[in-house]
Amino acid sequence: MKLHSAEKFLLLAQHPEKGRFLIPGLHVNYGMAGALLLDLLLEGNAEIKDNRLVLNDRKRSSDPIVSETSMLVQQFKNPRSIRTTINKIYRKSGKFKSLLLKRMAVNGYIRIEEKSFWGFIRYKRHY
């Protein structure tokens, strides 16, 4: 199976033994937003004209994450700058990150473990 740019980015940002990211969360989220936008551009669903992101009137993507990214961009009435678009995607980055990590775990690229602190504070580690 072919990995998308966002999945490759998350794999590169992983610490191999500690089960967390090597870089701070803000950088992970903005980098993932940029990678999702890159996936949208590489599939041909959008293009850049005059430093603005313009969606093409093509069919929807088979990948649900890329199609949801294009739905976020479609909410703009006029073409917006790349910076504005990345900020819009960044606001939903937690949802996208959890979906990507779950999909990579199902495909066998990473392993997700649920742990607890003092028995009631739950958190996840991804190796």
Side-chain angles (χ1 to χ4, degrees):
M1 182 177 169
K2 182 183 171 196
L3 288 174
H4 293 284
S5 300
E7 293 169 333
K8 290 177 187 176
F9 174 76
L10 288 177
L11 279 177
L12 287 173
Q14 292 280 337
H15 192 284
E17 289 120 20
K18 293 186 179 180
R20 61 180 183 215
F21 293 110
L22 289 168
I23 54 179
L26 181 72
H27 300 290
V28 170
N29 292 338
Y30 270 112
M32 190 185 55
L36 287 171
L37 186 61
L38 180 65
D39 285 337
L40 189 67
L41 291 168
L42 289 176
E43 283 195 10
N45 294 343
E47 57 186 29
I48 299 174
K49 292 182 182 175
D50 298 328
N51 202 20
R52 307 264 181 207
L53 185 72
V54 179
L55 288 177
N56 295 337
D57 293 331
R58 287 187 160 190
K59 61 180 181 166
R60 294 185 67 148
S61 175
S62 60
D63 185 19
I65 294 175
V66 174
S67 63
E68 191 163 342
T69 305
S70 66
M71 295 272 295
L72 277 174
V73 176
Q74 283 177 352
Q75 291 177 354
F76 296 132
K77 294 180 182 175
N78 298 324
R80 302 291 176 147
S81 69
I82 304 299
R83 181 179 183 173
T84 305
T85 307
I86 287 178
N87 281 332
K88 180 75 169 180
I89 297 170
Y90 166 76
R91 290 185 205 122
K92 301 281 184 176
S93 63
K95 176 183 173 183
F96 288 131
K97 185 169 39 173
S98 65
L99 288 174
L100 285 169
L101 288 173
K102 284 179 188 175
R103 182 164 69 180
M104 289 189 322
V106 167
N107 292 332
Y109 293 110
I110 62 171
R111 179 181 82 241
I112 298 177
E113 293 180 2
E114 285 196 23
K115 298 189 174 195
S116 63
F117 178 71
W118 285 355
F120 61 92
I121 301 172
R122 298 188 185 275
Y123 63 97
K124 294 180 183 178
R125 293 284 187 197
H126 30 84
Y127 301 95

